Amino acid sequence: MIVTIDGPAGAGKSSAARQLAHRLGFEFLDTGAMYRAVTLAARAADIDARDEAALAQLLDGLRLEMPDDKVLLNGADVTLAIRDPDVTAATGQIADSPVVRRWLGARQREIAAGRDMVCEGRDQGTVVFPDAACKFFLVADPVERARRRQAELAAKGTTVSLEDLLAAQTRRDERDAARDLAPMRPAADALQLDSTQLTLTQVVERMEMEVHRCRTGASISSTKSSGSSAIPPSR
Ligand code: C5P
C-alpha cells in the first residue's frame, strides 16, 4: 500500500511521514532527499542545471541508495551534505529538469514496488503514484512554517532572521508550484490538512485515522460529514 504526503517546504511532511510510517509499520521515502542528492552530484561535476544531455550522462553512472535513513551517492554518505543551504537553494533548478524528474520518478516507483510505503515530496500523489491508496497534502501558514524552521536552526546553534527564512521559503514554494513538469499541487483525491494549529502528534493521528479509512474502503466524504473537529478536511 502506498500513502503519499505532498506539500510546501516546512509544513512538517518529513516528520509526519516518518512517524506515520513507524505507526503503520510501513517504510518511508523522502523524495526531496533524492532531488538534493542529484543536485549535490551535479554541483560536484560542475554541470549546468539546464544541460539536459550532461544531466542524463551524470544519471547514467549514478548510484543513489537510501538505506536506514541515510543517503548514499555512489557509496559515499551524503546524508548531511544534502542539507547544506547552498544545496537547498540549488535543488529547485535541478528539480525542473525533465530528465532528472523522469529518472527519479522511475527510481521512486522501483523502490516502492510491492512494499508498504509512505512517500513524501511534491508530486507523489499527482505524478509518481497517481493510484496511491491514500493521499495527503500537508500545508501550514507560511510564517508559522518559517518560525518552526527558525526554532530548529536555533536548537542547532544557528541564528537566521525570520525575514530571510520566509523569503527563501517563498522562493522555493513559488518555483515548486510554477514548474511546467510535475508542479506542486494537491492531487484531486488528496486530503488537505493544515498543521498550523496542530502538534505533530495530532497531524499523525489524523493521518493514521485516514489511512485506516482508506484501507477499509470507507469513503472520505464520511469524514467530512461527521464534522470531525481536529483538522477540517478540505479538498
Ligand atoms: O522536501 P525537500 O525540501 O527536501 O525538497 C527539496 C526540493 O526538491 C524541493 O524544494 C523541490 O524543488 C524538489 N522536490 C521535487 N519533487 C519531490 C520532492 C522534492 O521537485 N517529489
Short mmCIF file of all heavy atoms in Angstrom, two decimals, residues 10-12 15-16 136-141 144-145 148 191-207 228-233:
data_model
loop_
_atom_site.label_atom_id
_atom_site.label_comp_id
_atom_site.label_asym_id
_atom_site.label_seq_id
_atom_site.Cartn_x
_atom_site.Cartn_y
_atom_site.Cartn_z
N GLY A 10 8.63 22.97 4.69
CA GLY A 10 8.48 23.30 6.10
C GLY A 10 7.11 23.04 6.71
O GLY A 10 6.84 23.46 7.83
N ALA A 11 6.25 22.31 5.98
CA ALA A 11 4.91 22.05 6.54
C ALA A 11 4.95 20.87 7.51
O ALA A 11 3.94 20.55 8.14
CB ALA A 11 3.92 21.77 5.41
N GLY A 12 6.10 20.21 7.61
CA GLY A 12 6.23 19.08 8.54
C GLY A 12 6.03 17.73 7.87
O GLY A 12 5.77 16.73 8.54
N SER A 15 8.67 14.83 9.00
CA SER A 15 8.44 14.32 10.35
C SER A 15 7.14 13.52 10.40
O SER A 15 7.08 12.44 11.00
CB SER A 15 8.34 15.48 11.35
OG SER A 15 9.45 16.31 11.22
N ALA A 16 6.10 14.05 9.75
CA ALA A 16 4.80 13.35 9.76
C ALA A 16 4.92 12.03 9.03
O ALA A 16 4.42 11.00 9.50
CB ALA A 16 3.73 14.24 9.13
N PHE A 136 -2.24 12.66 0.99
CA PHE A 136 -2.38 13.86 1.81
C PHE A 136 -1.65 15.03 1.16
O PHE A 136 -0.62 14.83 0.49
CB PHE A 136 -1.77 13.64 3.20
CG PHE A 136 -2.43 12.55 3.98
CD1 PHE A 136 -1.91 11.27 4.00
CD2 PHE A 136 -3.61 12.80 4.68
CE1 PHE A 136 -2.52 10.24 4.70
CE2 PHE A 136 -4.24 11.78 5.39
CZ PHE A 136 -3.69 10.50 5.40
N PHE A 137 -2.16 16.23 1.40
CA PHE A 137 -1.46 17.45 1.03
C PHE A 137 -1.39 18.28 2.30
O PHE A 137 -2.41 18.74 2.81
CB PHE A 137 -2.20 18.19 -0.09
CG PHE A 137 -1.36 19.25 -0.75
CD1 PHE A 137 -0.39 18.90 -1.69
CD2 PHE A 137 -1.52 20.59 -0.44
CE1 PHE A 137 0.40 19.87 -2.30
CE2 PHE A 137 -0.74 21.56 -1.04
CZ PHE A 137 0.22 21.20 -1.97
N LEU A 138 -0.18 18.37 2.85
CA LEU A 138 0.00 19.00 4.16
C LEU A 138 0.45 20.44 3.99
O LEU A 138 1.47 20.72 3.37
CB LEU A 138 1.05 18.20 4.95
CG LEU A 138 1.25 18.60 6.41
CD1 LEU A 138 -0.02 18.40 7.23
CD2 LEU A 138 2.40 17.78 7.03
N VAL A 139 -0.31 21.36 4.55
CA VAL A 139 0.03 22.78 4.45
C VAL A 139 0.13 23.38 5.86
O VAL A 139 -0.25 22.74 6.84
CB VAL A 139 -1.04 23.57 3.64
CG1 VAL A 139 -1.13 23.07 2.22
CG2 VAL A 139 -2.41 23.51 4.32
N ALA A 140 0.67 24.60 5.95
CA ALA A 140 0.66 25.35 7.20
C ALA A 140 0.91 26.81 6.84
O ALA A 140 1.47 27.10 5.77
CB ALA A 140 1.74 24.84 8.16
N ASP A 141 0.50 27.69 7.69
CA ASP A 141 0.71 29.11 7.47
C ASP A 141 2.21 29.38 7.20
O ASP A 141 3.07 28.87 7.93
CB ASP A 141 0.25 29.85 8.72
CG ASP A 141 0.57 31.33 8.62
OD1 ASP A 141 -0.12 32.03 7.86
OD2 ASP A 141 1.53 31.76 9.31
N GLU A 144 4.30 30.65 10.14
CA GLU A 144 4.46 29.59 11.14
C GLU A 144 5.51 28.57 10.67
O GLU A 144 6.35 28.12 11.46
CB GLU A 144 3.10 28.91 11.38
CG GLU A 144 3.13 27.74 12.36
CD GLU A 144 3.65 28.11 13.75
OE1 GLU A 144 3.58 29.29 14.13
OE2 GLU A 144 4.14 27.19 14.44
N ARG A 145 5.50 28.26 9.39
CA ARG A 145 6.49 27.31 8.86
C ARG A 145 7.90 27.88 9.03
O ARG A 145 8.83 27.19 9.44
CB ARG A 145 6.21 27.03 7.37
CG ARG A 145 5.01 26.15 7.16
CD ARG A 145 4.94 25.70 5.70
NE ARG A 145 4.22 26.62 4.83
CZ ARG A 145 4.64 27.02 3.64
NH1 ARG A 145 5.80 26.62 3.16
NH2 ARG A 145 3.92 27.83 2.91
N ARG A 148 8.97 27.75 12.68
CA ARG A 148 9.39 26.40 13.09
C ARG A 148 10.82 26.12 12.62
O ARG A 148 11.62 25.55 13.34
CB ARG A 148 8.45 25.34 12.49
CG ARG A 148 7.06 25.33 13.12
CD ARG A 148 6.20 24.29 12.38
NE ARG A 148 4.80 24.38 12.76
CZ ARG A 148 3.82 23.78 12.09
NH1 ARG A 148 4.09 23.06 11.02
NH2 ARG A 148 2.58 23.90 12.49
N LEU A 191 -6.38 14.41 0.64
CA LEU A 191 -6.98 15.08 1.78
C LEU A 191 -6.03 16.19 2.22
O LEU A 191 -4.85 15.94 2.49
CB LEU A 191 -7.17 14.09 2.93
CG LEU A 191 -7.80 14.68 4.20
CD1 LEU A 191 -9.24 15.10 3.96
CD2 LEU A 191 -7.73 13.68 5.34
N GLN A 192 -6.52 17.41 2.24
CA GLN A 192 -5.65 18.54 2.61
C GLN A 192 -5.73 18.77 4.12
O GLN A 192 -6.82 18.91 4.66
CB GLN A 192 -6.06 19.79 1.84
CG GLN A 192 -5.08 20.93 2.02
CD GLN A 192 -5.19 21.95 0.90
OE1 GLN A 192 -5.21 21.60 -0.27
NE2 GLN A 192 -5.27 23.21 1.26
N LEU A 193 -4.56 18.79 4.76
CA LEU A 193 -4.50 19.03 6.20
C LEU A 193 -3.71 20.29 6.46
O LEU A 193 -2.66 20.50 5.85
CB LEU A 193 -3.82 17.87 6.92
CG LEU A 193 -4.38 16.46 6.74
CD1 LEU A 193 -3.55 15.47 7.54
CD2 LEU A 193 -5.82 16.41 7.21
N ASP A 194 -4.18 21.10 7.39
CA ASP A 194 -3.47 22.32 7.77
C ASP A 194 -2.88 22.12 9.16
O ASP A 194 -3.62 21.96 10.13
CB ASP A 194 -4.45 23.50 7.75
CG ASP A 194 -3.76 24.82 8.00
OD1 ASP A 194 -2.67 24.82 8.63
OD2 ASP A 194 -4.29 25.86 7.58
N SER A 195 -1.54 22.12 9.24
CA SER A 195 -0.89 21.80 10.52
C SER A 195 -0.58 23.03 11.37
O SER A 195 0.05 22.90 12.42
CB SER A 195 0.41 21.02 10.26
OG SER A 195 1.42 21.89 9.79
N THR A 196 -1.05 24.21 10.93
CA THR A 196 -0.68 25.45 11.63
C THR A 196 -0.96 25.39 13.13
O THR A 196 -0.12 25.77 13.94
CB THR A 196 -1.45 26.66 11.03
OG1 THR A 196 -1.28 26.64 9.62
CG2 THR A 196 -0.93 27.98 11.60
N GLN A 197 -2.13 24.91 13.48
CA GLN A 197 -2.54 24.92 14.89
C GLN A 197 -2.38 23.56 15.56
O GLN A 197 -2.93 23.34 16.63
CB GLN A 197 -4.03 25.30 15.00
CG GLN A 197 -4.45 26.52 14.22
CD GLN A 197 -4.18 27.79 15.00
OE1 GLN A 197 -3.80 27.74 16.17
NE2 GLN A 197 -4.37 28.93 14.36
N LEU A 198 -1.67 22.66 14.88
CA LEU A 198 -1.63 21.28 15.39
C LEU A 198 -0.23 20.85 15.78
O LEU A 198 0.75 21.30 15.20
CB LEU A 198 -2.13 20.33 14.30
CG LEU A 198 -3.55 20.55 13.84
CD1 LEU A 198 -3.82 19.77 12.58
CD2 LEU A 198 -4.53 20.14 14.92
N THR A 199 -0.18 19.97 16.75
CA THR A 199 1.10 19.34 17.07
C THR A 199 1.36 18.25 16.04
O THR A 199 0.42 17.80 15.35
CB THR A 199 1.07 18.69 18.47
OG1 THR A 199 0.10 17.63 18.44
CG2 THR A 199 0.72 19.70 19.55
N LEU A 200 2.61 17.84 15.96
CA LEU A 200 2.97 16.75 15.05
C LEU A 200 2.15 15.50 15.36
O LEU A 200 1.63 14.83 14.46
CB LEU A 200 4.48 16.47 15.18
CG LEU A 200 5.04 15.33 14.37
CD1 LEU A 200 4.80 15.54 12.88
CD2 LEU A 200 6.52 15.16 14.64
N THR A 201 2.00 15.22 16.65
CA THR A 201 1.24 14.03 17.05
C THR A 201 -0.20 14.12 16.54
O THR A 201 -0.75 13.13 16.04
CB THR A 201 1.26 13.88 18.58
OG1 THR A 201 2.63 13.86 18.99
CG2 THR A 201 0.57 12.62 19.05
N GLN A 202 -0.79 15.28 16.63
CA GLN A 202 -2.18 15.43 16.15
C GLN A 202 -2.27 15.20 14.64
O GLN A 202 -3.21 14.56 14.16
CB GLN A 202 -2.71 16.84 16.49
CG GLN A 202 -3.03 17.00 17.96
CD GLN A 202 -3.38 18.45 18.30
OE1 GLN A 202 -2.71 19.39 17.87
NE2 GLN A 202 -4.44 18.63 19.07
N VAL A 203 -1.27 15.73 13.92
CA VAL A 203 -1.26 15.53 12.46
C VAL A 203 -1.17 14.04 12.13
O VAL A 203 -1.92 13.51 11.32
CB VAL A 203 -0.07 16.29 11.81
CG1 VAL A 203 0.10 15.91 10.34
CG2 VAL A 203 -0.26 17.79 11.94
N VAL A 204 -0.24 13.38 12.82
CA VAL A 204 -0.01 11.96 12.52
C VAL A 204 -1.23 11.12 12.90
O VAL A 204 -1.62 10.20 12.17
CB VAL A 204 1.27 11.47 13.23
CG1 VAL A 204 1.47 9.97 13.05
CG2 VAL A 204 2.49 12.21 12.71
N GLU A 205 -1.85 11.46 14.03
CA GLU A 205 -3.05 10.71 14.44
C GLU A 205 -4.16 10.85 13.40
O GLU A 205 -4.85 9.89 13.07
CB GLU A 205 -3.54 11.20 15.81
CG GLU A 205 -2.72 10.60 16.94
CD GLU A 205 -3.04 11.22 18.30
OE1 GLU A 205 -3.89 12.14 18.38
OE2 GLU A 205 -2.41 10.78 19.27
N ARG A 206 -4.30 12.09 12.92
CA ARG A 206 -5.35 12.34 11.92
C ARG A 206 -5.06 11.55 10.64
O ARG A 206 -5.95 10.96 10.02
CB ARG A 206 -5.40 13.85 11.64
CG ARG A 206 -6.43 14.26 10.64
CD ARG A 206 -7.83 14.07 11.20
NE ARG A 206 -8.83 14.40 10.20
CZ ARG A 206 -9.22 13.59 9.25
NH1 ARG A 206 -8.69 12.39 9.14
NH2 ARG A 206 -10.14 13.97 8.38
N MET A 207 -3.78 11.54 10.27
CA MET A 207 -3.40 10.79 9.05
C MET A 207 -3.62 9.29 9.25
O MET A 207 -4.11 8.61 8.35
CB MET A 207 -1.92 11.04 8.73
CG MET A 207 -1.66 12.42 8.15
SD MET A 207 0.10 12.62 7.77
CE MET A 207 0.04 14.08 6.73
N SER A 228 -15.76 16.01 11.99
CA SER A 228 -14.58 15.77 12.81
C SER A 228 -13.83 17.08 13.03
O SER A 228 -13.65 17.87 12.11
CB SER A 228 -13.72 14.72 12.12
OG SER A 228 -12.38 15.08 12.08
N SER A 229 -13.40 17.34 14.26
CA SER A 229 -13.02 18.69 14.62
C SER A 229 -11.54 19.06 14.49
O SER A 229 -11.22 20.15 14.08
CB SER A 229 -13.43 18.94 16.06
OG SER A 229 -12.83 17.92 16.83
N ALA A 230 -10.62 18.11 14.80
CA ALA A 230 -9.22 18.49 14.93
C ALA A 230 -8.69 19.22 13.70
O ALA A 230 -8.10 20.27 13.78
CB ALA A 230 -8.35 17.27 15.21
N ILE A 231 -8.91 18.64 12.53
CA ILE A 231 -8.47 19.28 11.30
C ILE A 231 -9.65 19.29 10.36
O ILE A 231 -10.17 18.24 10.02
CB ILE A 231 -7.34 18.48 10.62
CG1 ILE A 231 -6.20 18.29 11.60
CG2 ILE A 231 -6.87 19.16 9.36
CD1 ILE A 231 -5.17 17.32 11.09
N PRO A 232 -10.09 20.46 9.94
CA PRO A 232 -11.18 20.45 8.98
C PRO A 232 -10.67 19.90 7.66
O PRO A 232 -9.79 20.51 7.06
CB PRO A 232 -11.57 21.93 8.85
CG PRO A 232 -10.64 22.69 9.71
CD PRO A 232 -9.61 21.77 10.26
N PRO A 233 -11.14 18.74 7.21
CA PRO A 233 -10.65 18.24 5.95
C PRO A 233 -11.17 19.10 4.80
O PRO A 233 -12.35 19.42 4.80
CB PRO A 233 -11.23 16.82 5.85
CG PRO A 233 -11.97 16.57 7.10
CD PRO A 233 -12.14 17.87 7.81
#
